[in-house]
Amino acid sequence: MSPLLKIRAERDQMSAIERRIADFLLDNAHLLRDYSSQQLANALGISQSSVVKFSQKLGFKGYPDLKYSIGEAVARGNGGDEGGVVAAAAEDPRTAQAEQLWQLKAQAEAETRLINPTDRIDAIASALQQAGKVYIIGLGEDGIPARAFATRLSMLGIVTVHYVDAILMQAGVSSAAPGDVLLVFSEHGRQPELCQIGRRFRERSGKVVTVTRHTPNPLRAYADASLLVSAHDGRRHIEPLLYQSALQHLLDLIYVLLCDGNEGRRRQFDLNLELMHDLLDS
């Protein structure tokens, strides 16, 4: 696993000093060979021991091992190397732009896979598979992936209760029963009304699954399980694209698990698809 990929994935859980070190390493990976731990500490205005502790927290013996590992990743081209993009730019700027965006999306998807362990993904897929009803809500832009996923679950024959309004969902969860699942889409997890819905759902012995960024947020406090998305970029118009791409890949994985794990679900999907085609052709 690339050390730069690991740094990006864990950045949101780091302290302020650790984030400063992480950002410097990510921005200067190609130049890191020229920095000793003391020089890095001086450049950031921190103690040398902070650099050493940062390296050890990532699983390395010390800073030299971390620096060597980052150098190896850059040499292999999986540490954020933009050599391919630069070469493409010489031929076609649009090709280079498209290639860079693809690389950023692939990076966000890889980081997202890293912070969602297999056992967690399997447990969430199993909960959805066995749920009596699956309640789904997302407000604003979060409503777009929520609606799409609700439609996919319905196509598999899973009873889905989907709302785009928090007030209606407040009323809807009154019919929740033990074993039901509430799937809450909220990129930043800060809407108080969603936290209230999550609390009420748990009071009815339902299971709450939150879908948010990989950051501490109030909504996750009410979750029995969390799907986390890692997507970072300094450009405000690019970061949402990375979030949407990584989120979609994560949801697609769960959907495939639901299909592959139950032949009856696949047959129901085929039947519903045929019915839809008949309606379109009539």
Side-chain angles (χ1 to χ4, degrees):
M1 180 190 305
S2 166
L4 295 178
L5 179 60
K6 188 172 184 179
I7 290 172
R8 289 190 185 96
E10 298 184 6
R11 182 188 179 280
D12 290 335
Q13 305 302 317
M14 295 178 180
S15 67
I17 290 179
E18 290 170 342
R19 285 198 298 271
R20 288 172 60 191
I21 299 173
D23 291 341
F24 185 91
L25 297 180
L26 294 172
D27 293 339
N28 300 279
H30 293 78
L31 305 175
L32 200 59
R33 63 181 180 274
D34 299 325
Y35 282 84
S36 66
S37 59
Q38 186 61 62
Q39 289 172 323
L40 176 57
N42 292 340
L44 295 174
I46 59 177
S47 67
Q48 185 181 21
S49 63
S50 295
V51 176
V52 175
K53 290 178 181 177
F54 176 88
S55 304
Q56 293 173 340
K57 188 174 181 179
L58 290 174
F60 296 91
K61 293 181 179 179
Y63 174 74
D65 288 336
L66 173 60
K67 181 170 71 170
Y68 177 79
S69 182
I70 290 176
E72 287 284 292
V74 170
R76 290 194 302 268
N78 61 357
D81 185 8
E82 298 181 354
V85 176
V86 173
E91 300 179 4
D92 182 358
R94 290 293 171 266
T95 298
Q97 197 172 35
E99 177 68 18
Q100 183 184 52
L101 182 58
W102 180 87
Q103 289 181 358
L104 290 172
K105 287 183 176 181
Q107 189 176 86
E109 290 166 7
E111 292 169 9
T112 297
R113 288 197 304 273
L114 180 65
I115 59 177
N116 290 278
T118 299
D119 56 350
R120 182 192 303 167
I121 296 294
D122 290 345
I124 291 174
S126 178
L128 294 173
Q129 193 79 268
Q130 299 172 19
K133 299 184 296 295
V134 176
Y135 294 75
I136 298 180
I137 186 170
L139 305 179
E141 289 191 7
D142 293 307
I144 298 173
R147 179 179 179 179
F149 196 64
T151 300
R152 286 189 171 183
L153 294 187
S154 297
M155 290 288 288
L156 294 178
I158 296 175
V159 178
T160 306
V161 182
H162 172 236
Y163 288 106
V164 296
D165 185 283
I167 295 177
L168 293 176
M169 181 59 87
Q170 287 276 16
V173 297
S174 63
S175 63
D180 289 348
V181 174
L182 171 66
L183 197 57
V184 188
F185 288 76
S186 178
E187 180 175 354
H188 300 289
R190 297 172 186 161
Q191 295 102 320
E193 58 268 45
L194 295 182
C195 293
Q196 186 177 12
I197 291 171
R199 177 180 58 79
R200 287 195 61 204
F201 200 84
R202 292 189 68 178
E203 289 174 352
R204 302 192 67 83
S205 300
K207 184 170 185 177
V208 178
V209 178
T210 58
V211 185
T212 70
R213 278 187 173 273
H214 182 229
T215 54
N217 60 72
L219 183 60
R220 286 176 61 185
Y222 299 94
D224 295 288
S226 297
L227 289 173
L228 305 174
V229 179
S230 179
H232 308 285
D233 194 272
R235 294 163 293 179
R236 296 180 68 181
H237 65 291
I238 295 293
E239 194 166 59
L241 304 180
L242 306 185
Y243 176 84
Q244 293 160 13
S245 177
L247 171 59
Q248 188 60 60
H249 190 77
L250 184 60
L251 295 175
D252 288 348
L253 173 59
I254 293 176
Y255 175 73
V256 169
L257 290 175
L258 291 173
C259 293
D260 291 348
N262 190 313
E263 186 177 350
R265 298 291 188 200
R266 293 199 304 274
R267 287 199 300 267
Q268 186 63 55
F269 174 83
D270 292 338
L271 176 60
N272 286 333
L273 195 61
E274 290 177 7
L275 292 173
M276 289 177 63
H277 288 166
D278 290 342
L279 288 173
L280 291 173
D281 293 339
S282 61

